[in-house]
Amino acid sequence: MTTTRRYPGDPEDPGLPYNAFAKECPSRGTLEHVTGRWGALTLGALSGGSLRFNELRRRVGGVSEKMLSQTLHALERDGLVHREAQPTNPPRVDYELTPLGHEAARRVLSLIHFLEDSMDDVLLARESYDARGAR
Amino acid sequence: MTTTRRYPGDPEDPGLPYNAFAKECPSRGTLEHVTGRWGALTLGALSGGSLRFNELRRRVGGVSEKMLSQTLHALERDGLVHREAQPTNPPRVDYELTPLGHEAARRVLSLIHFLEDSMDDVLLARESYDARGAR
DNA sequence: CCGTATCCATTTGGATACTG
DNA sequence: CAGTATCCAAATGGATACGG
């Protein structure tokens, strides 16, 4: 038998209709929405339950109205976030994760928490890198 | 006792020295390196073992030399990737994940695979969104 | 309150050319 | 092969003003 060499994104890998490592794959776009600068934090913030626009804005430190709005539209279009608008005055709009969004958010939060827990190591690595970089 | 309301990034949460949801936290920067446009794919590609620069470039579809170089420098500085250079001619440089990088890559790949597996749902959600958006 | 629209500064990113 | 340097196009992001 021939050796099968498999790696993430191997174009020869059977049964993988979508491959984020391939430039043209639509999953690439969704990956960018989810892992983008504000996408990951937005999903993470919503993982605790539904939030209104300005609540969300306060939870995601530093995001502008424009960027939060764009991020939410992209996530809603991908079916990860549901937007619930009440036609009251003043208007009230709640954002919440869909079941798919919850699954994605769990994985995103796992990464975020891991990195937060590893920051002492990361900061040490940076010091070491910067010190060596001088030579 | 008072109710403790905890959510991702809650600034009142004790025992969390690093909080990616806070604008000034250094973990925010590392999160962006790892989840950035090329960071996630680079980590994923390296999860199968060490790769040379141009091998990596071929695995990560669409990345330019400049962006791959920048991405690798950032990940190396954060202690997630190790660079092994042989002073031969022609030069040979191998990149591999550190133990920390492996842990991060596992979580990143979990997300990537989940999204790849969910693309049919995502694409359906987009159709539905675009159809409704017309009204 | 919940956004959209517009303008503008900054950043990011790709193509190309070039070096050790 | 493994990058760096440069130039320029495009995307990002903030501030402000405005509308439902």
Side-chain angles (χ1 to χ4, degrees):
Chain A
M1 66 180 258
T2 62
T3 23
T4 54
R5 287 176 302 118
R6 292 288 174 254
Y7 52 85
D10 182 356
E12 300 295 314
D13 206 337
L16 279 184
Y18 299 107
N19 174 1
F21 293 86
K23 181 160 114 181
E24 351 66 55
C25 183
S27 66
R28 174 79 66 98
T30 299
L31 178 63
E32 284 172 16
H33 297 155
V34 170
T35 63
R37 187 164 188 178
W38 303 116
L41 295 173
T42 299
L43 286 177
L46 284 173
S47 70
S50 89
L51 291 174
R52 302 174 64 176
F53 187 83
N54 281 321
E55 283 178 325
L56 199 43
R57 194 154 124 68
R58 282 187 290 275
R59 297 275 178 98
V60 180
V63 70
S64 67
E65 291 185 354
K66 178 183 168 183
M67 284 302 109
L68 181 56
S69 180
Q70 276 188 20
T71 300
L72 285 169
H73 280 309
L75 294 176
E76 188 192 356
R77 192 168 103 98
D78 285 347
L80 301 169
V81 163
H82 175 70
R83 180 180 186 275
E84 187 77 33
Q86 319 272 2
T88 59
N89 192 312
R92 177 189 175 98
V93 183
D94 288 277
Y95 292 92
E96 60 184 343
L97 296 178
T98 63
L100 202 67
H102 261 292
E103 287 297 307
R106 277 189 47 240
R107 289 162 168 86
V108 166
L109 269 182
S110 162
L111 179 64
I112 290 176
H113 289 149
F114 172 74
L115 291 178
E116 288 173 345
D117 291 345
S118 305
M119 279 313 292
D120 286 337
D121 292 341
V122 168
L123 262 21
L124 238 36
R126 284 193 193 164
E127 280 185 45
S128 163
Y129 180 93
D130 292 346
R132 292 184 63 82
R135 66 184 174 105
Chain B
M1 65 179 255
T2 62
T3 24
T4 53
R5 289 177 300 119
R6 293 287 174 255
Y7 52 86
D10 183 354
E12 300 295 313
D13 206 336
L16 280 184
Y18 299 108
N19 174 2
F21 293 86
K23 181 159 110 180
E24 352 66 56
C25 184
S27 66
R28 174 78 67 96
T30 299
L31 178 63
E32 283 172 16
H33 297 154
V34 170
T35 63
R37 187 164 187 181
W38 303 116
L41 295 174
T42 299
L43 286 176
L46 284 173
S47 71
S50 90
L51 291 173
R52 302 174 65 173
F53 188 83
N54 281 320
E55 283 178 325
L56 200 43
R57 192 154 127 70
R58 282 187 289 274
R59 297 273 179 99
V60 180
V63 70
S64 67
E65 293 185 351
K66 177 184 168 182
M67 284 302 108
L68 181 56
S69 181
Q70 275 188 21
T71 300
L72 285 169
H73 280 310
L75 294 176
E76 188 192 356
R77 193 168 102 98
D78 285 348
L80 300 170
V81 163
H82 174 69
R83 181 180 186 277
E84 187 77 32
Q86 320 273 2
T88 59
N89 192 312
R92 178 190 176 96
V93 183
D94 289 278
Y95 292 91
E96 61 185 342
L97 296 178
T98 62
L100 202 66
H102 261 291
E103 287 297 306
R106 277 189 47 239
R107 288 162 167 86
V108 166
L109 270 182
S110 163
L111 179 64
I112 290 176
H113 289 150
F114 171 74
L115 292 178
E116 288 173 345
D117 291 345
S118 305
M119 279 314 292
D120 287 337
D121 291 342
V122 168
L123 262 22
L124 238 38
R126 283 192 194 165
E127 279 185 45
S128 163
Y129 180 94
D130 292 345
R132 293 183 63 81
R135 71 188 170 101

